[in-house]
Each structure stands twice: as C-alpha cells, then as structure tokens.
C-alpha cells in the first residue's frame, strides 16, 4: 500500500483495520488483504480466468483498492465492503477480458463481451443462504486468526474454545486452569477488540 507507517501505539490500536488502512497503516493493510485475497481470487476463477490470470487480476484489484480505499464510505445498511470490493474486482475482470480480446492473436471479441455481460453487478452469491453464511464464516475466521498474536495464549484459548468451538465456559475453565469468571472476561475482551478492529468490514455481528 502507498506510504509508510510507524509502529502502532496507543490510540491507533483502538481504531478499526479499515480506518488504519485508510491512514496508510501497512500492518492493517496486510491484514485486510490476507482476509480478502482468497475471495477475490475465487471470484476471478468463477468468472472464467485461468489460474495465472486470476492471480494477476487479484493483484490489480488490490492496487486499485489501495488507491481508492479512502473513498469507501459505509453510509447506509446497503453499503458493504464486500460489495464495494466486488465492484472493483468486476471492473478489473472486465479490463482483463477487453485486453485479451484486443490482442492480435485473439480469436475475436464476442466471447470476451459475453463473459463481461455475464458478470453480475452485485457480489456473486454462493448459491444459497447456507453457502453464503459459510463464506462469511470463512472470512471472519481468517480475520479472527490474524488477531491471535495480539493476545496472551490463555486469553486467546479461552475466547476460541468458547466463542468459536462453543465449548461450555466451565469446561474451558477446567482445561485452562482458570476461573469461570476469567474465561467470560477473556471472551468478552477479545470480542470487544475484534468488533473494534473489524468495524466496517462486515465480518463480525
């Protein structure tokens, strides 16, 4: 991402990844790209791009995202980072098809035009509500995993076992040799931090 950033301290750690990335925080930017790059690559492959082309287009997508990130605004419940990201991805996929059709050895532009016309205007659905829920869960899990190093091991384990694996707090307390109250406190602390960090990215309810 353009620009450089100094190490994070104090107030900066309480702001969301999205806000910090807009401020050219490279660590925040790396976390966002780590979460969303597999999704963008998947979109490119589903649009018909070959493996190497999908990887190249994904790189172009995040170059565009880096340039346009400051312009993203969530002004209503209809605005979403994922939807905004799809719009950029769709544009880059269209650029790819147009460039391919313009090459001297291209068989013609009709197939490229057809591929462009078949691209949905909104972020592709995975086919049903359950599949979309699984995709959102995968994105959230990737985002959550990136935060692990920010917490002590016992705090993270207490959160993960209760909030992700849905184990009873009493059982987790026994496993980790903590009080049940400490388990609840650890879970609450991590969830609060995650909501702050992921605000605006639509990954945590």
């Amino acid at each position: 991402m353009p620009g450089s950033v100094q190490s994070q301290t104090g107030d900066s750690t309480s702001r969301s990844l999205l806000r910090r990335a807009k401020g050219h925080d490279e660590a925040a930017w790396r976390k966002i790209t780590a979460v969303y790059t597999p999704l963008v690559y998947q979109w490119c492959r589903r649009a018909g791009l070959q493996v190497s082309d999908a990887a190249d287009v994904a790189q172009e997508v995040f170059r565009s995202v880096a340039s346009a990130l400051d312009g993203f605004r969530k002004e209503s419940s209809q605005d979403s980072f994922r939807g905004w990201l799809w719009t950029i991805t769709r544009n880059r996929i269209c650029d790819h098809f147009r460039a391919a059709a313009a090459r001297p050895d291209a068989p013609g532009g009709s197939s490229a035009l057809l591929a462009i016309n078949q691209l949905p205007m909104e972020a592709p659905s995975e086919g049903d509500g359950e599949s979309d829920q699984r995709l959102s869960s995968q994105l959230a899990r990737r985002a959550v995993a990136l935060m692990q190093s920010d917490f002590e091991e016992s705090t993270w384990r207490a959160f993960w076992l209760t909030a992700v694996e849905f184990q009873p707090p009493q059982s987790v307390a026994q496993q980790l040799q903590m009080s049940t109250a400490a388990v609840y406190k650890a879970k609450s602390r991590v969830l609060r931090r995650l909501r702050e960090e992921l605000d605006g990215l639509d990954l945590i309810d």
Side-chain angles (χ1 to χ4, degrees), residues 75-161:
E75 298 176 343
S76 74
S77 60
Q78 302 301 312
D79 299 327
S80 73
F81 184 79
R82 182 179 166 192
W84 180 77
L85 182 62
W86 164 247
T87 298
I88 293 176
T89 303
R90 186 184 189 280
N91 290 339
R92 297 293 78 78
I93 292 173
C94 290
D95 290 344
H96 169 80
F97 283 131
R98 293 190 190 100
R103 289 198 298 264
D105 59 345
S110 59
S111 60
L113 180 61
L114 177 61
I116 290 173
N117 289 336
Q118 289 178 336
L119 290 172
M121 295 303 296
E122 297 184 356
S125 168
E126 295 302 295
D128 57 61
E130 183 178 348
S131 295
D132 279 339
Q133 187 175 21
R134 283 199 301 270
L135 174 59
S136 296
S137 177
Q138 290 168 5
L139 292 172
R141 277 177 174 253
R142 281 202 294 268
V144 167
L146 290 172
M147 307 295 176
Q148 181 173 355
S149 62
D150 295 344
F151 298 92
E152 294 181 356
E153 179 64 19
S154 59
T155 299
W156 183 261
R157 289 273 297 160
F159 155 75
W160 190 267
L161 292 173

